């Protein structure tokens, strides 16, 4: 049977408490007398899948950068007066590649958003087991924080920081440099990307398209780095929770 106090670990054969709860200096979360509202579930498989999808996003961004560079090159030739079948063939190829890249990026953004939120929900539930009172935002903000205007600029980061602190295995929470770097690049990619892509969409002449491709490459580059940093955050936080869950009586281990 499960321990009647923590509801996470098997009770000792001759009692109703697990060895951690039976030891005064042992299991500390949830507090004595508090029945947990959630239980630990392994984030490892979901975390790896999320990081893999983010890596695919980065790969597509790299593909988009290559398409941008080709478009930049060929529109420069056209703006300079170059003609001929080779130039037009390269122009058609660049147009097709940038179109494919744009569609792939849009589809992956939707898929990645869903998977990231599912993973974040899982690690938030685990973090509530590790530190029931260590979260400044209600659980609903794990999802709502991404879509509510204005607060979406900082709520998701705050949710992740609280999960990170609750999942740290040291005497004090690990630093937030990785989270801050990811969130900064994500905001830059989100805000500047919309502005920079607008210039490309509104360009008509070869010269205007040529000039706008520099901005498009900046946007795709920001998105690529943001995706890699997001994957690093996912892998690091997943590893932290996995290690904390297997430390023994100091943390719940029924993963």
């Amino acid at each position: 049977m499960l321990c009647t106090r923590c509801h996470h670990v098997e009770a000792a054969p001759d009692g109703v408490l697990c060895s951690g709860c039976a030891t005064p200096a042992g299991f500390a979360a949830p507090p004595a007398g508090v029945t947990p509202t959630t239980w630990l579930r392994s984030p490892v498989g979901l975390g790896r899948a999320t990081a893999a999808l983010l890596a695919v996003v980065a790969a597509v961004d790299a593909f988009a950068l290559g398409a941008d560079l080709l478009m930049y090159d060929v529109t420069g030739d056209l703006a300079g007066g170059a003609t001929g079948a080779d130039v037009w063939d390269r122009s058609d190829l660049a147009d097709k590649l940038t179109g494919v890249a744009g569609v792939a990026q849009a589809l992956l953004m939707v898929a990645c958003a869903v998977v990231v939120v599912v993973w974040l929900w899982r690690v938030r539930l685990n973090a509530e087991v590790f530190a029931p009172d260590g979260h400044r935002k209600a659980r609903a903000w794990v999802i709502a924080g991404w879509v509510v205007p204005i607060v979406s600029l900082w709520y998701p980061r705050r949710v992740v920081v609280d999960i990170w602190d609750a999942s740290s295995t040291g005497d004090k929470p690990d630093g937030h440099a990785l989270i801050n770097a990811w969130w900064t690049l994500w905001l830059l990619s989100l805000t500047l990307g919309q502005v920079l892509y607008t210039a490309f969409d509104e360009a008509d002449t070869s010269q205007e398209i040529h000039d706008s491709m520099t901005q498009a490459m900046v946007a795709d580059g920001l998105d690529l780095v943001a995706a890699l940093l997001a994957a690093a955050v996912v892998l690091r936080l997943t590893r932290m929770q996995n290690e904390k869950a297997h430390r023994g009586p100091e943390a719940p281990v029924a993963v």
Side-chain angles (χ1 to χ4, degrees):
M1 64 174 289
L2 288 177
C3 171
T4 58
R5 176 177 172 186
C6 70
H7 294 272
H8 291 289
V9 184
E10 289 291 329
D14 56 347
V16 295
L17 299 179
C18 66
S19 59
C21 291
T23 304
F27 183 76
V34 176
T35 301
T37 59
T38 187
W39 289 264
L40 286 178
R41 295 182 63 190
S42 175
V44 175
L46 187 55
R48 289 173 178 171
T50 304
L53 185 56
L54 286 165
V56 173
V57 171
V60 171
D61 287 333
F63 174 81
L65 278 172
D68 294 341
L69 185 59
L70 178 59
M71 181 67 80
Y72 177 84
D73 183 61
V74 71
T75 52
D77 291 342
L78 290 171
T83 59
D86 177 66
V87 175
W88 291 111
D89 287 343
R90 288 166 53 222
S91 177
D92 289 340
L93 177 61
D95 189 56
K96 290 177 181 177
L97 291 179
T98 53
V100 169
V103 172
Q105 286 175 312
L107 293 176
L108 276 173
M109 178 175 290
V110 174
C112 200
V114 173
V115 174
V116 166
V117 169
V118 171
W119 167 81
L120 192 59
W121 186 268
R122 171 74 59 84
V123 294
R124 168 58 187 261
L125 294 182
N126 287 344
E128 289 179 11
V129 176
F130 295 141
D133 301 321
H135 304 276
R136 289 168 286 182
K137 297 301 173 186
R139 189 186 298 173
W141 286 109
V142 172
I143 299 174
W146 296 93
V147 297
V148 176
I150 307 301
V151 300
S152 61
L153 296 176
W154 72 88
Y155 269 34
R157 177 195 170 275
R158 182 169 294 178
V159 168
V160 173
V161 166
D162 289 342
I163 295 172
W164 183 279
D165 290 346
S167 305
S168 296
T169 56
D171 295 333
K172 60 180 181 179
D174 294 346
H176 302 147
L178 181 59
I179 297 175
N180 292 336
W182 155 65
W183 190 246
T184 299
L185 265 294
W186 163 250
L187 289 181
L188 286 173
S189 173
L190 191 65
T191 56
L192 291 181
Q194 293 178 349
V195 175
L196 298 179
Y197 278 127
T198 298
F200 173 71
D201 292 336
E202 295 178 350
D204 293 323
T205 67
S206 296
Q207 186 62 54
E208 290 175 346
I209 296 174
H210 178 75
D211 294 338
S212 69
M213 292 318 299
T214 301
Q215 300 170 329
M217 285 188 280
V218 171
D220 287 331
L222 286 172
D223 196 64
L224 189 158
V225 178
L228 292 177
L229 287 174
V233 170
V234 169
L235 291 174
R236 176 76 178 276
L237 186 48
T238 297
R239 183 172 66 251
M240 288 164 58
Q241 287 204 344
N242 190 51
E243 292 176 355
K244 191 175 184 72
H246 288 89
R247 285 175 59 184
E250 292 183 50
V253 296
V255 177

